[in-house]
Amino acid sequence: MKKLVLTLSALLFAATLSFAQDMAAATQLAKDAQDAYTNKEFAQALEGFQKALAAAEACGEEGAELIDQCKTAIPQVAMSIAKEKINAQDYDGGLAALQQVIELSDKYSAIDVLAEAKDLIPAVEQQKGNALFADAEALYQEGKLQEALTAFQALKEGGNANAIKRIPTVFLKIAQGAYKEGKLDDAIAAVQSAVTESGGSAAIKKTAGSIVQGAIQKAATTGKLGDAGKYYGILSELDPGNVNLGVLAYTIGASYYKAKNNGQAKSWLQKAVNDPKYGANAKQLLSAIK
């Protein structure tokens, strides 16, 4: 019986020694994690505290204090990782890190850290949007209009108000470029997009109207009278009260007259007979048509 007691005592001593070693190892992991945090090696610190937590949990009740310390530290370290990414303008990485902070804070009941992470997300999303808008604006200023448009449209899908306001201007710039290159259909398409995207803004319509007028005149004077008539219809819908509609109708009618297409000439000239400047000319040509 005495021998059995001695054997049990030896086993208890060995278990106590082993337990002490486990606690010491867990404590050392936490200390190393703290040192890493102090040195701003946040990823290493997070991993260290997570390992220390697992080791402390394996020690049962004796590891309770260290467990609490690790559970307090882990969300805070995760927040430091998120802020580091945000400060480096890695907004996607920062947002992903904030989601991890929320998960860890919720898991370990870190209420203050959880609230801070949730408050930060909208601000970071705004910072990300501002940065992306600046990149898109730089493309626009460099004349890379299609790339800029794609970038602004992506921002629009995310609800970026600045991008929504900018898109009509980009379309007008595209329209102006196409007009100068003689790509009138492309210019008109871009003009229509500008007006649609602006929600019918008067300022956008004014610039758009001037581009369409130019396209009508250019088409009419280069013999593309069908296109001129099509563009005229677009201008009439875009700006029904445009004071130049009569002049433009006369231009198209006179061009048809020169092309000896009297039927079309008559139709267009009749639209111009009440124009204060060219009405008399329109009537004169109409009287010449037999």
Side-chain angles (χ1 to χ4, degrees):
M1 186 70 176
K2 186 177 180 181
K3 183 179 180 181
L4 179 59
V5 171
L6 288 173
T7 302
L8 291 172
S9 297
L11 289 172
L12 181 60
F13 176 76
T16 302
L17 180 60
S18 174
F19 174 78
Q21 289 174 337
D22 289 344
M23 274 302 301
T27 302
Q28 186 60 50
L29 285 170
K31 181 180 180 303
D32 291 343
Q34 181 62 48
D35 290 342
Y37 181 80
T38 301
N39 293 328
K40 297 185 178 181
E41 297 169 346
F42 300 130
Q44 183 178 335
L46 180 61
E47 183 181 1
F49 279 120
Q50 288 173 325
K51 288 181 178 179
L53 174 61
E57 287 175 334
C59 295
E61 292 183 3
E62 296 298 325
E65 184 177 355
L66 183 56
I67 289 171
D68 288 342
Q69 291 174 351
C70 290
K71 287 183 176 181
T72 298
I74 286 171
Q76 294 176 351
V77 177
M79 178 62 83
S80 294
I81 292 173
K83 288 181 177 179
E84 186 175 55
K85 291 180 181 295
I86 294 164
N87 290 336
Q89 298 183 353
D90 177 9
Y91 299 116
D92 286 334
L95 288 168
L98 284 173
Q99 288 299 331
Q100 183 184 32
V101 173
I102 289 172
E103 292 171 9
L104 292 171
S105 298
D106 187 52
K107 182 177 181 180
Y108 298 130
S109 301
I111 298 173
D112 291 343
V113 181
L114 177 63
E116 183 182 6
K118 288 183 176 180
D119 287 343
L120 270 177
I121 286 177
V124 175
E125 288 176 339
Q126 181 65 47
Q127 286 179 278
K128 176 185 175 182
N130 291 343
L132 291 173
F133 181 86
D135 291 341
E137 182 66 18
L139 290 171
Y140 174 78
Q141 296 299 334
E142 291 169 12
K144 298 176 180 178
L145 300 180
Q146 289 297 337
E147 292 178 51
L149 179 61
T150 299
F152 283 127
Q153 287 173 328
L155 286 169
K156 176 189 173 183
E157 290 178 6
N160 187 291
N162 291 328
I164 292 170
K165 292 178 182 178
R166 199 68 169 117
I167 286 173
T169 306
V170 180
F171 271 119
L172 285 181
K173 197 74 171 179
I174 291 172
Q176 289 167 341
Y179 173 79
K180 289 179 181 178
E181 294 176 8
K183 299 177 181 178
L184 300 183
D185 280 344
D186 291 344
I188 297 300
V191 158
Q192 290 175 305
S193 295
V195 173
T196 299
E197 291 288 344
S198 74
S201 160
I204 295 296
K205 277 187 173 183
K206 182 177 180 180
T207 304
S210 66
I211 295 172
V212 178
Q213 289 177 55
I216 293 168
Q217 291 172 327
K218 185 174 286 190
T221 55
T222 56
K224 297 178 180 179
L225 299 179
D227 287 344
K230 179 175 66 176
Y231 303 154
Y232 184 95
I234 291 170
L235 180 61
S236 298
E237 292 180 5
L238 180 67
D239 186 8
N242 191 297
V243 296
N244 293 316
L245 286 173
V247 175
L248 294 167
Y250 173 79
T251 300
I252 296 172
S255 296
Y256 271 118
Y257 180 80
K258 290 179 182 178
K260 298 182 180 180
N261 187 332
N262 289 342
Q264 287 290 344
K266 184 176 181 180
S267 176
W268 283 101
L269 289 170
Q270 286 174 337
K271 296 177 186 293
V273 292
N274 294 320
D275 184 75
K277 290 185 178 180
Y278 286 86
N281 300 66
K283 291 175 182 177
Q284 184 177 358
L285 287 181
L286 282 169
S287 65
I289 295 174
K290 296 180 181 180

